[in-house]
Amino acid sequence: MNRNRWLLLPLLLTLLFGFSLSLGSVQIPFAQILTILAGGNATEPVWADIVWNFRLTKALTCILAGGGLALAGLQMQTLFRNALAGPDVLGLSAGASLAVALIFMGQAAGIRLLYEPSPWTTALVASGGCFAIVIIMLAIAQRLRDNVSLLLVGMMISAGVSSIVAILQFVSKAEEMQIYIIWTFGSLGSLSWPEIAVLTFTLAAGTLLAVRSAKALNAWLLGQHYAQSLGVPIKRSRMIIILSTCILTGSVTAFCGPIGFVGLAVPHLVKLLIRTSDHKILIPASMVGGAALMLFCDVLAQLPGSTQVLPINAVTALIGAPVVIWVILRHPRMHP
């Protein structure tokens, strides 16, 4: 591994973080931003409120969400030995989407749960949907021996849940469906400091499980039989990896909505940059790379020079789709 290439990731993250703080509809000199962050008084009092409660929270949300999704995607690609496996391959995002769809569009089906959902209740309900899928997948993982079957079951659960959401969309009112669709676009700028604290805590728990599984992930690279020959407890290791992915993906989806392609694309970009398969290096590198990519996508979404903001999911797809095409062309034998 080239150490100079590894240093590019934190350098890029720092530059994008600073650029994200300086970007917005209100022009604030970067020197004033540094003064505010250092605890000083800004020339305009309103600037401090903008930096602390809007720009800084949004930038931190980008870092947390990007890092969590990238780490989740890395674990899934390693566990299933599939270059196109992402953090939502187990149906977690679909479970959260169904739960949120019920509170926004369930009235048409007679199952309206909340009439005026707040950001906190939406996050809690989305977490509940993810948790339900987690319980199902952990129970199935106990019964299945091979990862391919587990992957297929996850895909089928995701397809089934998505079909229920489609039915709710069909029978719901236009206003209700619009609210739900806006949620599916993803959002990085709506979190408050208490919400960021909760997101940080849950992501830290998921990351700790992933770090403890670094050796097992290295063994999983060569397949289940090889990992077993090295003394890796297959069922226990797989359960921990799945649980870590569920915590990471579920917490980000709960607070930010379903954000695609970041967890799928970042592990490949990081491996291309630092050229290593050691997860002791890939885990922190993927998290830094995911944070940097999410900040970059957020900068693009804000349309520099304009007051309009694009949906973050649209921008991540524009970045991630070419990476997926590149992966398919690079590994044509891996895909039917």
Side-chain angles (χ1 to χ4, degrees):
M1 180 189 65
N2 192 326
R3 182 173 295 181
N4 294 331
R5 289 186 174 185
W6 161 246
L7 293 176
L8 285 175
L9 288 174
L11 177 61
L12 181 62
L13 176 62
T14 303
L15 292 175
L16 288 170
F17 181 74
F19 189 57
S20 176
L21 291 178
S22 62
L23 190 64
S25 58
V26 178
Q27 297 295 329
I28 303 177
F30 190 70
Q32 289 291 311
I33 294 176
L34 294 178
T35 301
I36 293 170
L37 294 178
N41 296 322
T43 305
E44 298 289 339
V46 71
W47 288 353
D49 184 61
I50 292 174
V51 171
W52 283 111
N53 296 321
F54 292 95
R55 296 188 184 181
L56 184 58
T57 54
K58 188 173 188 180
L60 290 177
T61 302
C62 289
I63 292 174
L64 293 171
L69 291 176
L71 178 54
L74 173 67
Q75 292 185 94
M76 289 296 94
Q77 290 173 10
T78 300
L79 179 64
F80 294 116
R81 300 179 66 197
N82 189 322
L84 296 180
D88 57 347
V89 73
L90 298 178
L92 302 177
S93 296
S97 298
L98 175 59
V100 174
L102 289 175
I103 68 172
F104 287 143
M105 303 183 296
Q107 187 177 18
I111 48 177
R112 180 83 172 199
L113 302 179
L114 297 170
Y115 286 90
E116 295 181 357
S118 66
W120 275 108
T121 54
T122 301
L124 288 174
V125 170
S127 299
C130 288
F131 184 72
I133 299 297
V134 169
I135 297 300
I136 295 173
M137 293 306 300
L138 290 179
I140 293 175
Q142 289 278 20
R143 298 176 61 88
L144 296 178
R145 294 184 177 180
D146 63 297
N147 292 333
V148 176
S149 298
L150 183 63
L151 177 62
L152 292 174
V153 170
M155 294 174 63
M156 293 304 101
I157 291 177
S158 180
V161 171
S162 298
S163 66
I164 298 176
V165 174
I167 294 173
L168 288 174
Q169 288 179 305
F170 180 76
V171 300
S172 66
K173 298 178 181 179
E175 297 82 3
E176 296 172 339
M177 185 169 62
Q178 184 181 21
I179 297 174
Y180 170 76
I181 291 176
I182 291 175
W183 178 82
T184 62
F185 285 160
S187 175
L188 297 169
S190 59
L191 269 67
S192 61
W193 283 108
E195 291 172 322
I196 290 178
V198 174
L199 180 60
T200 302
F201 176 79
T202 53
L203 289 179
T207 301
L208 180 61
L209 291 175
V211 171
R212 294 186 61 181
S213 301
K215 290 184 179 180
L217 287 167
N218 286 337
W220 278 105
L221 278 174
L222 297 177
Q224 178 174 325
H225 296 295
Y226 181 79
Q228 193 169 13
S229 67
L230 291 180
V232 175
I234 297 301
K235 285 190 175 182
R236 181 174 178 271
S237 172
R238 185 168 59 179
M239 294 280 283
I240 292 176
I241 293 172
I242 292 175
L243 182 60
S244 171
T245 301
C246 291
I247 293 174
L248 294 168
T249 307
S251 57
V252 173
T253 304
F255 285 101
C256 306
I259 299 177
F261 285 101
V262 174
L264 178 60
V266 169
H268 297 294
L269 294 175
V270 169
K271 291 175 185 177
L272 179 66
L273 178 64
I274 63 178
R275 299 186 182 280
T276 183
S277 58
D278 187 358
H279 282 76
K280 293 181 180 179
I281 299 172
L282 284 176
I283 287 175
S286 295
M287 295 188 71
V288 175
L293 181 63
M294 189 68 83
L295 281 171
F296 178 69
C297 291
D298 180 61
V299 168
L300 293 181
Q302 294 186 61
L303 291 174
S306 173
T307 58
Q308 296 181 346
V309 179
L310 293 176
I312 190 63
N313 252 335
V315 180
T316 56
L318 288 175
I319 301 298
V323 176
V324 174
I325 295 174
W326 169 73
V327 171
I328 294 174
L329 294 177
R330 189 183 181 191
H331 305 284
R333 295 182 180 180
M334 295 180 61
H335 316 286

